[in-house]
Amino acid sequence: MGLEQVKTLELPVVSDVRGNLAVAEGGALPFAIARAYWLYDVPSGSMRGGHAHKSNQQILVALSGSFDVVLDDGKARRTVTLNRPDRGLYIPTGVWRELENFSAGAVCLALASEPYDESEYVRDYGEFLASANR
Ligand code: TYD
């Protein structure tokens, strides 16, 4: 998989005078959600991510605030800024990601296709490049 498969998902929103409600629901997403986790209280200047996944797909949503996602498939690099709670960034397997420039109070929701399994992470960039260009 590469950067061509990365895509922005417009999540359906139900709005009324009480506010907005955005939905991420199984059938409308590229995968069935097995796990959700979120990053919050990220100190200014901190970088998260710094890995790729062998089998786990993800969707990232900036529930609050903003941050940049640097995507790299071993051939090209691209940065996507997430700053809307009704937009999801779909990241397929085999894409290195780094999350940076978190605004104060930013919250990053991650929806994952698999339960947590450290053995499917690639955390070494050299190893990632070698497998991406094989
Ligand atoms: P890490 O992968 O470094 O977070 P990031 O997504 O910012 O790169 O994970 C930090 C720690 O949390 C690491 O020890 C693994 C653990 N962890 C879990 O136990 N469960 C999870 O679902 C996740 C995503 C991480």
Side-chain angles (χ1 to χ4, degrees):
M1 291 293 178
L3 292 189
E4 316 79 55
Q5 279 81 35
V6 169
K7 58 184 172 187
T8 301
L9 307 172
E10 296 204 11
L11 303 173
V13 176
V14 186
S15 299
D16 63 35
V17 290
R18 299 168 299 163
N20 299 327
L21 184 159
V23 182
E25 186 172 8
L29 303 175
F31 57 81
I33 299 167
R35 173 170 52 115
Y37 64 92
W38 43 98
L39 303 170
Y40 61 101
D41 287 349
V42 178
S44 165
S46 227
M47 197 200 86
R48 304 288 318 208
H51 53 72
H53 291 281
K54 294 177 191 165
S55 55
N56 188 30
Q57 305 167 69
Q58 289 198 327
I59 295 168
L60 303 180
V61 184
L63 289 185
S64 184
S66 67
F67 52 87
D68 292 336
V69 186
V70 182
L71 300 158
D72 178 341
D73 63 2
K75 296 172 190 71
R77 251 179 191 239
R78 174 175 152 209
T79 300
V80 178
T81 300
L82 293 184
N83 56 14
R84 292 184 56 158
D86 60 353
R87 291 281 186 282
L89 179 68
Y90 169 69
I91 309 178
T93 58
V95 173
W96 186 270
R97 87 288 313 271
E98 291 167 4
L99 280 62
E100 59 188 27
N101 293 331
F102 283 83
S103 69
V107 179
C108 171
L109 170 70
L111 303 172
S113 64
E114 298 184 347
Y116 173 68
D117 173 8
E118 184 60 37
S119 69
E120 67 84 34
Y121 277 71
V122 183
R123 292 190 184 272
D124 182 279
Y125 188 65
E127 184 190 323
F128 167 73
L129 279 184
S131 64
N133 293 304
R134 196 169 290 142

